[in-house]
Amino acid sequence: EVGGVAAAGEAQRFFEQAAGLSDEEDRSADLIDRAGRMAWVANRVDDARALLGRAREAYDELGDDVAKALVDSKLAEIDFNNGRVPEAVDRMGPALEAIERVGTPADVAATAAQFGRFLVFARDYEAAAAQLERALTLAEELGLPETLAQALNSKSVLTLYRGRPHEARLLVRGALAVALEHDLHDPALRAYNNTVADSWYAMRWREGIALVEEALEYARRTGERTWELSFITGSIGCFDFLGRWDEALERAAAVEPYATTEFTRGLLLWVALIHLRRGEVAAARELLDRHSDIGRSGNPEFSAGYAAVEGSVLAAEGRHVDAFEAALRALPNEAISSAWWL
């Protein structure tokens, strides 16, 4: 097992048991909510979705619109990590409206930052920019380092997509610095992911591996198993380009039994390219077919990444017309599809 059993799994069980013993409806809802969030940290995606769904229903019955909206924000994040960008956006609109009615300015800022993030990946850049600027303004005014780090990170992706990679690099590294300064686990790990993606985009493979090792140490120290798996998988491409194929395949084999999100499974597709370099065309095809649903992902980065790998496999199989068509599907996002931002 990679990295040992995370403490989050034990926390999930504790919160579930406590919820079952509580006679207070609001207390029980809060405990179920916490259990769902711990399940996500522990890489138990189905548990997380089910528990958060229960918490949402409980908050709805209690009339707690703020808590329900914050759960929707977390469910949107789970949707996003599984390639369901439209669903994530659809969740966030009503969530933000609810927060605007009855939430605090801090809640508005955090929810706007999350909404802006998903709008970036939906390629609705103008709407995304408006939400992110709103979040950044509130974060600065109210002294909210977590929202500041998240919004800076999302703005870096937006800036990259608008063709300004140097500015994007400064923004994401700034997001990482803020998160680390305040020891904000989730923002730090997301910023690490996007900083690694930036090093990949700039073809700095050794730098990327060094950053991955930093990120892995942080994820293990904080018990973030979902992120641990993502970082291990994300290093495979760097090892490939440095000719360290055995290490890349060892990491892939360690992660694959626990790869439950579309994000992590998509990163594993890089193994197919290593198989091709070794002349193992059948192994490459088997891996591609096993994760064929990623080619239909609602996240254009994910689907483009699949199409790019598919084109290489088809070419190796001698199906050159099909390979050309796959390359055309990848082309609109090919510059960013091999380094997946979050």
Side-chain angles (χ1 to χ4, degrees):
E1 183 177 348
V2 180
V5 178
E10 293 299 323
Q12 174 197 340
R13 284 189 286 273
F14 170 81
F15 286 131
E16 285 189 82
Q17 291 169 359
L21 296 172
S22 177
D23 294 328
E24 302 175 19
E25 292 183 0
D26 56 344
R27 179 62 175 161
S28 177
D30 177 64
L31 290 166
I32 294 168
D33 184 351
R34 294 188 185 191
R37 293 171 190 272
M38 288 300 100
W40 174 244
V41 171
N43 196 47
R44 297 172 178 172
V45 180
D46 291 339
D47 282 0
R49 194 183 295 279
L51 286 163
L52 290 169
R54 284 175 54 196
R56 187 187 188 283
E57 291 176 2
Y59 287 138
D60 190 36
E61 292 177 4
L62 291 165
D64 191 338
D65 290 340
V66 171
K68 184 174 71 171
L70 294 176
V71 168
D72 276 334
S73 181
K74 194 65 181 180
L75 284 167
E77 182 179 341
I78 295 173
D79 285 336
F80 172 75
N81 276 269
N82 282 284
R84 301 172 182 171
V85 175
E87 290 88 339
V89 170
D90 288 345
R91 282 189 192 273
M92 290 306 302
L96 180 57
E97 290 176 3
I99 291 291
E100 287 171 334
R101 288 195 306 272
V102 291
T104 66
D107 288 333
V108 171
T111 309
Q114 185 82 311
F115 193 21
R117 173 189 179 187
F118 300 140
L119 286 167
V120 171
F121 290 94
R123 303 303 195 264
D124 191 348
Y125 296 152
E126 293 303 320
Q131 294 296 342
L132 292 175
E133 290 304 316
R134 180 187 190 188
L136 286 167
T137 299
L138 286 169
E140 294 272 17
E141 289 177 354
L142 302 173
L144 306 171
E146 183 166 2
T147 298
L148 179 64
Q150 294 284 30
L152 284 173
N153 198 340
S154 297
K155 187 175 180 180
S156 76
V157 181
L158 174 62
T159 305
L160 175 75
Y161 288 1
R162 285 177 155 175
R164 304 200 301 270
H166 296 292
E167 182 181 348
R169 184 169 302 126
L170 292 171
L171 287 166
V172 73
R173 290 179 184 273
L176 180 59
V178 170
L180 291 177
E181 177 186 354
H182 295 276
D183 200 22
L184 300 167
H185 298 175
D186 191 58
L189 290 162
R190 181 181 166 228
Y192 264 126
N193 178 86
N194 287 1
T195 305
V196 170
D198 171 71
S199 70
W200 173 276
Y201 183 79
M203 296 184 289
R204 300 192 300 269
W205 320 124
R206 289 182 176 82
E207 179 183 317
I209 289 175
L211 283 166
V212 164
E213 293 308 311
E214 283 184 30
L216 269 174
E217 190 280 330
Y218 192 94
R220 287 166 174 159
R221 176 166 63 83
T222 57
E224 298 274 356
R225 185 159 174 75
T226 298
W227 278 112
E228 178 188 355
L229 294 167
S230 296
F231 289 132
I232 293 172
T233 315
S235 66
I236 290 171
C238 291
F239 281 120
D240 173 34
F241 275 117
L242 293 172
R244 296 163 63 177
W245 293 347
D246 290 339
E247 291 170 85
L249 293 176
E250 285 173 8
R251 291 199 167 203
V255 167
E256 186 153 10
Y258 311 103
T260 54
T261 67
E262 190 173 278
F263 179 77
T264 305
R265 291 191 302 113
L267 290 173
L268 278 172
L269 290 174
W270 197 270
V271 174
L273 301 180
I274 298 176
H275 287 318
L276 293 181
R277 301 193 214 293
R278 290 184 159 184
E280 301 164 351
V281 179
R285 166 54 65 186
E286 188 277 332
L287 178 64
L288 193 71
D289 288 348
R290 187 148 35 93
H291 299 289
S292 61
D293 60 300
I294 297 172
R296 302 181 296 277
S297 174
N299 187 323
E301 280 194 30
F302 294 9
S303 58
Y306 181 91
V309 175
E310 182 184 26
S312 296
V313 174
L314 288 165
E317 293 171 336
R319 298 166 58 185
H320 300 296
V321 173
D322 292 338
F324 179 72
E325 292 176 352
L328 289 178
R329 291 197 301 275
L331 192 58
N333 294 288
E334 186 175 2
I336 55 175
S337 62
S338 295
W340 291 359
W341 276 257
L342 282 176

